[in-house]
Amino acid sequence: MTELTIALDAMGGDQGPDIVVTALARALSSYTQVDFILVGDQQVLQPILDRYPAISQSPRVTLQHASQVVAMDDKPSAVVRAKPDSSMRAALDLVNNGSADACVSAGNTGALMAMAYLTLKPIPGVVRPALVAPLPQQDGRQSLLLDLGANPVCDAETLCQFGIMGSVMAQQINRQSYPRVALLNMGREDLKGNDTVKQAAQLLKATPGIHYIGFVEGNDLFSGRADVIVCDGFTGNIALKACEGMAELLYHNLKQSIQGHLLTKVLAKLLFKRHKKSWQWLNPDQYNGASLLGLRGVVMKSHGNASANAYFSAIAHAIDEASVELPQRIHDRIEHALLAQVSDNRNE
Amino acid sequence: MTELTIALDAMGGDQGPDIVVTALARALSSYTQVDFILVGDQQVLQPILDRYPAISQSPRVTLQHASQVVAMDDKPSAVVRAKPDSSMRAALDLVNNGSADACVSAGNTGALMAMAYLTLKPIPGVVRPALVAPLPQQDGRQSLLLDLGANPVCDAETLCQFGIMGSVMAQQINRQSYPRVALLNMGREDLKGNDTVKQAAQLLKATPGIHYIGFVEGNDLFSGRADVIVCDGFTGNIALKACEGMAELLYHNLKQSIQGHLLTKVLAKLLFKRHKKSWQWLNPDQYNGASLLGLRGVVMKSHGNASANAYFSAIAHAIDEASVELPQRIHDRIEHALLAQVSDNRNE
């Protein structure tokens, strides 16, 4: 008997369904207790599946047809009504009606967020769901950064809730028993920043069970200073992409420095062979998968141009979250925080 | 006869006056047409200067005594009144009374911004001065990012002015005849982001003589897509420091990968020897120096823990800005924009 079922939106993403099917093949052998529902256009998927007898003959894989595909440039607001039979929508519906415990999609982020919000609905008491992703730290641990773009503007209460939800996720997924929660700001001093972060700091300080450590700066995203780093979606999106840009610049320059000189090329090749292993923890593939936190079900967003290995990581993250029933854990924690607030108000 | 005079706050920064004097020695031989005024505590500076006869015997260097020092942890609001005889204040006064054409300080950023604002005052029509710094691009050019933290909250009009001031600086300093101005946002589509960036986009589109190219994302900070990238100080500060954090993480990991294996160590050493040259353009020293743009004089902020070479770069940037009379160029451009606005309003 299997324990979990994961729905995969096979049609989303820039790379097409091939990488989803390849990732599924790997997941099938890695997670022998998990069932999968592959959602997408049967006519497109069948020829690909025919190349993978391990999948097409497995009793643990179901193919569910969906006639429509959400394009990467579809407008999120329009797609909800215009494409009722999209593979993305069908995958979310499977989670909503209990047929699946989580879903994974590499499709249009805006559309996924809008559709997930309407289909699964937020956990009672949650103001806004947040997009969260893990960041590698200098000490080898992982931190969580949220929000990454689901909410361009956030008030203090929303930021405080992000801290609570992130704290639950750090405990459940990263196994950090007492996660350090911080607010991202332009300085560590209490006086720094805008009014919203200052108010959010007061709220987080007053939240029982949250280990709020204060403000952190941009360079603390990777310093290991905090386990959960909270900001609005505008700031989080720009900060994360700025880091991607910096990494690209360094990589581009490294390549430029090496090319054109035979000796350097050979040395670099030898050096990188050694690096390949020790840089494994920095491999972006394993960090693929941003969770939509605060909904009644597990929704995992894979990068639009994820490789099969990266998509596999997103599946693995979805399984992790489903296996600890993360939405239920967040529900309990938010309920607890709200009850504490009510009791505080009564005592005042 | 010399053309320019630069005032150096010798006492600011984490590294003390030694690095300022070392940088001055280099500047003295590199810029033979420039005079310098070294401002600081004579008792502290004299023994250092005695080690540099090229400085102490030069008719192009004046030592000006200032009895107080702004500490790195002094509160900006308090320091203005509490330390009227600080070296930082004296350096700014020299610019204000015309004795110097620019000043450089590695001291407390907040104090420098507050004191520069009060001493030099903004250019007429400028809503808020902005902190701006150059960023290396993949194509080897430089872009300008502003604001980096002088203004945590900005309205659309302020962002638009940052675009104008940045455009003038890109023309005058980076010699870009038609600089591409962009707003930093969480996506390139017009619908993305908060109301302020959307309104700022409309204002920049309507500003004559500004080549506004739309929104750019965090990874475009280094992609070469724009010559001037505009955002509020909260976002800019976090984005820039996030990039520093990413660079530190990669460096830390590279070091970890190399250490402990003799062969790798030797290969790395050979490889880096080659790199040293071709990575020169990425050397952080040359990017040291953030300008406070929009004031009636040139104020250059050096990094608090800048090396002597990095401090020298800040002096060089200050000389560049003073030699093209950047404040006057910004004054002309802002006046022009305001007149165009008035004429637009009349015609409506």
Side-chain angles (χ1 to χ4, degrees):
Chain A
M1 210 191 92
T2 59
E3 286 171 357
L4 291 172
T5 302
I6 310 294
L8 306 180
D9 169 11
M11 309 308 286
D14 303 312
Q15 310 289 324
D18 276 272
I19 71 111
V20 179
V21 175
T22 312
L24 170 57
R26 191 175 154 197
L28 210 53
S29 68
S30 297
Y31 294 96
T32 53
Q33 299 292 305
V34 179
D35 280 2
F36 296 92
I37 307 175
L38 193 64
V39 190
D41 189 325
Q42 196 153 10
Q43 280 204 312
V44 176
L45 290 176
Q46 201 57 58
I48 304 172
L49 288 174
D50 289 343
R51 302 204 310 265
Y52 290 88
I55 297 178
S56 47
Q57 288 164 20
S58 169
R60 292 195 286 124
V61 178
T62 317
L63 178 59
Q64 178 169 324
H65 178 66
S67 64
Q68 292 174 312
V69 177
V70 175
M72 291 309 260
D73 55 356
D74 274 343
K75 272 199 182 173
S77 52
V79 98
V80 175
R81 283 162 189 274
K83 295 190 173 170
D85 193 35
S86 68
S87 57
M88 189 186 275
R89 175 60 185 260
L92 288 164
D93 280 339
L94 286 169
V95 179
N96 191 43
N97 67 28
S99 306
D101 300 285
C103 72
V104 182
S105 176
N108 185 320
T109 310
L112 183 65
M113 291 192 300
M115 237 185 244
Y117 189 92
L118 288 171
T119 311
L120 294 173
K121 307 227 164 42
I123 290 164
V126 167
V127 188
R128 291 285 310 162
L131 207 57
V132 58
L135 296 178
Q137 301 297 298
Q138 282 198 14
D139 56 12
R141 292 158 65 111
Q142 285 195 356
S143 292
L144 299 171
L145 178 65
L146 73 166
D147 172 40
L148 297 174
N151 311 281
V153 182
C154 297
D155 60 14
E157 195 197 345
T158 308
L159 292 178
C160 177
Q161 275 205 351
F162 290 173
I164 297 172
M165 296 197 295
S167 187
V168 175
M169 184 168 170
Q171 284 172 329
Q172 297 291 330
I173 302 297
N174 291 346
R175 305 288 170 196
Q176 291 155 343
S177 49
Y178 205 44
R180 297 158 300 166
V181 177
L183 284 161
L184 188 58
N185 198 354
M186 52 185 284
R188 289 191 192 137
E189 303 84 357
D190 286 347
L191 285 168
K192 286 284 171 76
N194 55 41
D195 290 341
T196 310
V197 288
K198 288 178 203 166
Q199 286 162 17
Q202 297 309 317
L203 292 176
L204 278 166
K205 266 181 207 163
T207 306
I210 293 294
H211 180 27
Y212 174 68
I213 59 160
F215 294 139
V216 295
E217 299 187 272
N219 48 335
D220 290 319
L221 290 184
F222 310 98
S223 72
R225 181 178 281 261
D227 302 308
V228 178
I229 301 172
V230 174
C231 59
D232 63 66
F234 186 83
T235 310
N237 184 286
I238 288 173
L240 192 70
K241 286 185 184 157
C243 296
E244 284 175 24
M246 169 53 90
E248 269 168 39
L249 175 73
L250 293 174
Y251 178 73
H252 170 269
N253 196 252
L254 185 65
K255 241 173 81 179
Q256 289 262 324
S257 303
I258 289 163
Q259 274 166 358
H261 293 256
L262 188 63
L263 177 68
T264 328
K265 253 184 177 167
V266 173
L267 292 178
K269 221 167 187 174
L270 282 164
L271 191 58
F272 284 3
K273 213 168 175 180
R274 158 88 194 116
H275 272 191
K276 219 177 170 179
K277 262 191 214 159
S278 47
W279 280 60
Q280 188 50 43
W281 66 278
L282 242 186
N283 176 2
D285 280 1
Q286 71 181 304
Y287 292 96
N288 183 42
S291 319
L292 209 42
L293 222 58
L295 294 172
R296 290 170 195 247
V298 173
V299 180
M300 189 63 59
K301 168 71 179 78
S302 164
H303 203 289
N305 56 18
S307 65
N309 280 337
Y311 196 97
F312 169 79
S313 291
I315 297 176
H317 292 318
I319 292 172
D320 285 347
E321 292 189 12
S323 66
V324 297
E325 295 176 6
L326 191 59
Q328 185 59 45
R329 299 286 87 75
I330 290 173
H331 172 274
D332 297 348
R333 191 67 192 70
I334 290 285
E335 194 175 65
H336 183 261
L338 290 174
L339 285 173
Q341 257 179 30
V342 171
S343 136
D344 269 6
N345 291 345
R346 270 197 199 140
N347 293 339
E348 262 168 23
Chain B
M1 209 190 97
T2 58
E3 283 172 359
L4 291 173
T5 302
I6 310 294
L8 306 180
D9 170 12
M11 310 306 287
D14 304 312
Q15 311 289 323
D18 277 273
I19 70 111
V20 179
V21 176
T22 312
L24 170 57
R26 190 174 157 199
L28 210 54
S29 67
S30 297
Y31 295 95
T32 52
Q33 299 293 305
V34 179
D35 281 1
F36 296 93
I37 307 175
L38 193 64
V39 190
D41 189 326
Q42 196 154 8
Q43 280 204 311
V44 176
L45 290 176
Q46 200 57 59
I48 304 172
L49 288 174
D50 289 344
R51 301 203 310 265
Y52 290 89
I55 297 178
S56 47
Q57 290 164 16
S58 170
R60 291 196 286 124
V61 179
T62 315
L63 178 59
Q64 177 167 327
H65 178 67
S67 64
Q68 293 175 312
V69 177
V70 175
M72 291 310 261
D73 55 357
D74 274 343
K75 272 198 181 171
S77 51
V79 97
V80 175
R81 283 165 189 273
K83 295 189 173 171
D85 193 34
S86 68
S87 57
M88 188 186 275
R89 175 60 187 262
L92 289 164
D93 280 339
L94 287 170
V95 178
N96 191 43
N97 66 29
S99 306
D101 301 285
C103 73
V104 182
S105 176
N108 185 320
T109 310
L112 183 65
M113 291 191 301
M115 238 185 247
Y117 189 91
L118 287 171
T119 311
L120 294 173
K121 308 227 165 37
I123 290 165
V126 166
V127 188
R128 292 284 309 161
L131 207 57
V132 57
L135 296 178
Q137 302 297 299
Q138 282 198 15
D139 56 12
R141 292 158 64 109
Q142 285 196 357
S143 291
L144 299 171
L145 178 64
L146 72 168
D147 173 40
L148 296 175
N151 311 281
V153 182
C154 296
D155 61 14
E157 196 199 342
T158 308
L159 292 178
C160 177
Q161 277 204 349
F162 290 173
I164 297 173
M165 296 197 295
S167 187
V168 176
M169 185 169 170
Q171 285 172 329
Q172 297 292 330
I173 302 297
N174 292 344
R175 305 286 169 197
Q176 290 155 343
S177 50
Y178 206 44
R180 298 158 298 167
V181 177
L183 283 160
L184 189 59
N185 198 355
M186 52 186 285
R188 290 193 192 136
E189 304 83 358
D190 285 346
L191 285 168
K192 285 284 170 76
N194 55 41
D195 290 341
T196 310
V197 289
K198 288 179 205 167
Q199 286 162 17
Q202 296 310 316
L203 291 177
L204 278 166
K205 265 181 209 166
T207 305
I210 293 295
H211 181 26
Y212 174 68
I213 60 160
F215 295 139
V216 294
E217 299 187 273
N219 47 336
D220 290 318
L221 290 184
F222 310 98
S223 71
R225 182 178 281 261
D227 301 308
V228 178
I229 301 172
V230 173
C231 60
D232 63 67
F234 186 84
T235 310
N237 184 286
I238 289 172
L240 192 69
K241 287 186 184 157
C243 296
E244 284 176 24
M246 170 53 91
E248 270 169 38
L249 175 75
L250 294 174
Y251 177 74
H252 171 267
N253 196 253
L254 184 65
K255 240 171 84 178
Q256 289 263 323
S257 303
I258 289 163
Q259 272 167 0
H261 291 257
L262 188 64
L263 178 67
T264 328
K265 254 184 178 167
V266 173
L267 291 179
K269 222 165 186 174
L270 282 163
L271 192 57
F272 283 2
K273 214 169 173 179
R274 158 88 194 115
H275 273 191
K276 221 176 168 180
K277 262 192 219 160
S278 48
W279 280 59
Q280 189 50 44
W281 66 278
L282 242 186
N283 177 1
D285 281 359
Q286 69 182 304
Y287 293 97
N288 184 43
S291 319
L292 209 43
L293 222 58
L295 294 172
R296 289 169 196 247
V298 173
V299 180
M300 190 63 59
K301 169 70 178 80
S302 164
H303 202 290
N305 56 20
S307 65
N309 280 336
Y311 196 96
F312 170 79
S313 291
I315 296 176
H317 292 318
I319 292 172
D320 286 347
E321 292 189 13
S323 67
V324 297
E325 296 177 4
L326 191 59
Q328 186 59 43
R329 299 285 89 73
I330 290 173
H331 173 274
D332 298 347
R333 192 67 192 71
I334 291 285
E335 196 176 63
H336 183 260
L338 290 174
L339 286 175
Q341 257 180 30
V342 172
S343 132
D344 269 7
N345 291 344
R346 272 198 198 138
N347 294 340
E348 260 169 20

